Amino acid sequence: MTTGVDLGVPATQAIRSDEDVVRVRQLVRTTAVAVKLSLVDQTKLVTAASELARNTLIYGGGGAAEVTTVEDGRRRGVRIVFADEGPGIPDLDAALTDGFTTGGGLGLGLSGARRLVDDFDIWTAVGEGTRITVTKWSR
């Protein structure tokens, strides 16, 4: 894992254990503070990142999170890419629906994470894995 925040330089954290999920949360929090996201937006982003990191571990069999700062000319933000080479998501529409779960949880994982961030993009292919990109922008 890359420690500290070098603005604009991606930091990658492997996700192979529950401890790595905690490390992702810490990295995201540190990066969100560095780009001066509000406390509410920090909390939303860390919550989404925690859910997506856990999904990467549980459903994708592990993978990685790449965290970087981004700018669009008038604001700064944090972009996180979660990637795994797991089984993929066979029914993406269902997986993005509130209440859908394959793990016995509340079924708010992907749909909840999508609501907590400003930009949400997902690519998945059965047998190839899943890649989710999220961005939270400063207000």
Side-chain angles (χ1 to χ4, degrees):
M1 178 181 94
T2 304
T3 57
V5 175
D6 190 357
L7 297 180
V9 176
T12 301
Q13 170 62 55
I15 302 171
R16 294 188 201 101
S17 67
D18 288 335
E19 291 79 14
D20 290 336
V21 172
V22 172
R23 289 182 188 99
V24 168
R25 289 176 57 94
Q26 292 167 338
L27 176 59
V28 170
R29 169 85 59 201
T30 300
T31 307
V33 168
V35 299
K36 299 182 177 22
L37 291 185
S38 71
L39 183 56
V40 169
D41 284 342
Q42 289 174 36
T43 302
K44 287 179 178 181
L45 183 61
V46 169
T47 301
S50 181
E51 181 62 35
L52 296 171
R54 185 151 304 287
N55 283 0
T56 300
L57 177 63
I58 294 171
Y59 301 111
E66 182 181 272
V67 181
T68 190
T69 60
V70 290
E71 291 188 52
D72 73 354
R74 57 183 172 62
R75 59 190 177 164
R76 294 167 73 185
V78 179
R79 178 166 295 141
I80 313 165
V81 178
F82 296 89
D84 68 61
E85 295 178 355
I89 303 171
D91 188 345
L92 185 56
D93 288 336
L96 288 169
T97 302
D98 284 349
F100 178 83
T101 181
T102 58
L106 296 176
L108 297 174
L110 289 179
S111 61
R114 181 170 59 177
R115 281 193 302 276
L116 292 170
V117 298
D118 298 315
D119 300 326
F120 183 97
D121 181 68
I122 185 167
W123 171 90
T124 188
V126 173
E128 295 182 39
T130 302
R131 181 180 174 99
I132 300 174
T133 304
V134 298
T135 306
K136 189 72 176 167
W137 294 102
S138 60
R139 305 273 170 238

